[in-house]
Amino acid sequence: MPVLGIDIGGTSIKGSLVNSLGECKENFVMPINPNLSQEETIEELLDVIDKYLQANLNGESLDGIGMGIPGSLDTEKGIVTFSNNLKWEDLKIVDLFKKRYKTPIKITNDANAAALGEARFGAGKEFKNMVMITLGTGVGSGIVIDGKLFEGYLGKGAELGHTTLVLDGLSCSCGRRGCFEMYASATALIRQTKEKMSICPDSLMHQISNELGKVDGRVAFMAAKKGDKAANEVVDQYVKYLSEGILNICNALRPECVVLSGGIAKEGSYLTDKVLNYCKLQDFGYPYSPSLVIKIAELGYQSGIVGAASLLL
Amino acid sequence: MPVLGIDIGGTSIKGSLVNSLGECKENFVMPINPNLSQEETIEELLDVIDKYLQANLNGESLDGIGMGIPGSLDTEKGIVTFSNNLKWEDLKIVDLFKKRYKTPIKITNDANAAALGEARFGAGKEFKNMVMITLGTGVGSGIVIDGKLFEGYLGKGAELGHTTLVLDGLSCSCGRRGCFEMYASATALIRQTKEKMSICPDSLMHQISNELGKVDGRVAFMAAKKGDKAANEVVDQYVKYLSEGILNICNALRPECVVLSGGIAKEGSYLTDKVLNYCKLQDFGYPYSPSLVIKIAELGYQSGIVGAASLLL
């Protein structure tokens, strides 16, 4: 009685059958052809799925199809309202799927799907209330309350990356200023690293980035661990931004657990120890509050597929 | 089949029987004697309730007791962990009530109770998902999701007033800096008004505050409506703070409706029109998002009693 989980990304679509334990079969992967219309892309996807199910369903019945999609959705009506990355607009994706498959079909935002996957089968599985923050190109977020995805009215909430942390701060692509995303994403850390490097020509960060061939989100952390002063300043400032955003999430939503994912989360306990230390010094605003639990995501790149399937598991 | 709703304030305790339509009988009011211990205060309250029920229950059965209490609570265990205003600490209030009454008893934070009251029987009654913001001495907040109060883990969430809006901003009593409360409360507006008055000796705000005998939250609004330039700057700046906080709430929680209460909310549509206008210019970050609906609370000082009762209605 498996469910098909589909993770739609900017350049490819991945999917797998997922069983009730959150276990996947082998994935299918379909590159997105940018020359096709949105409807043609879905037709191609449906053909790929047909073949995948024929090869993998082994006579079992399909219990549903769940999809994680980047962009703004109307999850109730099953419509991709607008996806900036995919250039999809007003795409009635659930209706197109229903013409082919007589099974329950649900969609959610890709960050929400990943959060649900981690909540059910990954780092958050011991907790009923969990928030996942993805520190990547932007800051994605997903909120799970009482074991269920919380998406806000018409699926338009849970955009914690687009809450203002710095009034009148840096301009964000969303139209606001000073969004959490502008200070805590991997993109932001790279900007902060480059800024510090430009005024600290002797920093170890120059040597490390030369060896890596680029300045990425690892440079400041690598140099900081070796005692570089400028790098430690970058890391401490980044930890402050991230921690203030996490404290906001805690005071607003008070989850039992905050799960970090994305490139920066690979720093593991080196990062989470610093965040916990910062948050402790802030006393959380509420000395009687439960202790903050921060974990690193466990499912990796499969979280989107498992989470999309979890919409129907 | 009424429920007893109890609203515990800093100086007095009010309560009333509430029926399934949210209608109250006459309130009881008990001043809090600061010379009594917390347990003695509860004993006195239980005696007041006994008499009130004898006079008002008219042979009906009591279906439950709900209480709204200021401070940090453990709502699952029924304990007042700490109340700064009342100087209560580790008070097992539900256990004390259960010794006297064999009926379901629930507690919640006072701001949560007021929000639930407005959600069920007031400004939010047409909506399933609503956030109430109380613009008073501080900024209180309550979150209603799918018609139910959302309190966060152990009842320690929904403190939207204590989310940072201005990184490294003004010090808040909660221990953090730059909290929403420090910029959007009535206290904040009075501070902002006084600051502007001190550098604008010709502003109409001086004359109005002289007539009122004080600088309160109305002064800037009254002078702004008469065209005073300095007052309009105060109001516009305040509207910006409030709106940025509301935009944060929308992007995080995307409620169907935001309800404003407290002293500043008495400005009504003069305030909400300005907030809606500000938020529109921000495009909400998401041009495809549903329109923001802002309403003014309708139940007034009864919202706490009705909301506390609603925990069991």
Side-chain angles (χ1 to χ4, degrees), chain A residues 72 81-82 89 143 145 150 152-154 156-160 162-168 174-176 240-241 244 247-248 250-256 282 285-286 288-290, chain B residues 72 81-82 89 143 145 150 152-154 156-160 162-168 174-176 240-241 244 247-248 250-256 282 285-286 288-290:
Chain A
S72 175
T81 329
F82 182 70
E89 194 166 349
I143 302 171
I145 297 175
F150 170 79
Y153 184 48
L154 301 181
K156 295 289 200 297
E159 291 287 357
L160 299 171
H162 298 289
T163 54
T164 293
L165 187 65
V166 182
L167 194 82
D168 294 328
C174 79
R176 301 187 70 189
K240 174 178 173 170
Y241 291 132
E244 289 285 352
L247 285 164
N248 279 357
C250 288
N251 284 352
L253 296 166
R254 192 63 60 190
E256 290 169 84
Q282 288 273 338
Y286 302 93
Y288 299 91
S289 286
Chain B
S72 175
T81 329
F82 182 71
E89 195 166 350
I143 301 170
I145 296 174
F150 170 79
Y153 184 48
L154 301 181
K156 295 289 199 299
E159 291 286 356
L160 299 172
H162 298 290
T163 55
T164 294
L165 187 66
V166 182
L167 193 83
D168 294 328
C174 79
R176 300 188 71 190
K240 174 178 173 170
Y241 291 132
E244 289 285 351
L247 285 164
N248 279 357
C250 288
N251 284 352
L253 296 165
R254 193 63 63 190
E256 291 169 85
Q282 289 273 339
Y286 303 91
Y288 298 91
S289 285

Side-chain angles (χ1 to χ4, degrees), chain A residues 180-202:
Chain A
F180 181 36
E181 164 164 311
M182 292 306 295
Y183 298 87
S185 63
T187 311
L189 175 58
I190 292 169
R191 187 191 69 240
Q192 293 152 12
T193 302
K194 286 179 175 171
E195 283 170 5
K196 183 65 87 174
M197 285 169 69
S198 74
I199 54 169
C200 297
D202 298 331

Side-chain angles (χ1 to χ4, degrees), chain B residues 171-188:
Chain B
S171 291
C172 181
S173 63
C174 79
R176 300 188 71 190
R177 295 181 74 101
C179 285
F180 181 35
E181 164 164 313
M182 292 305 296
Y183 298 86
S185 63
T187 310

Side-chain angles (χ1 to χ4, degrees), chain B residues 197-237:
Chain B
M197 286 169 69
S198 73
I199 54 168
C200 296
D202 297 331
S203 165
L204 191 57
M205 293 188 284
H206 290 281
Q207 189 189 320
I208 290 172
S209 60
N210 282 339
E211 284 164 13
L212 292 172
K214 62 182 172 182
V215 179
D216 64 18
R218 295 170 296 175
V219 170
F221 280 99
M222 289 169 78
K225 286 173 193 167
K226 291 187 175 171
D228 184 71
K229 183 169 170 289
N232 270 294
E233 286 168 7
V234 172
V235 168
D236 287 348
Q237 184 68 31

Side-chain angles (χ1 to χ4, degrees), chain B residues 69-72 80-89:
Chain B
I69 307 171
S72 175
V80 182
T81 329
F82 182 71
S83 175
N84 186 41
N85 287 335
L86 295 162
K87 313 286 177 219
W88 289 357
E89 195 166 350

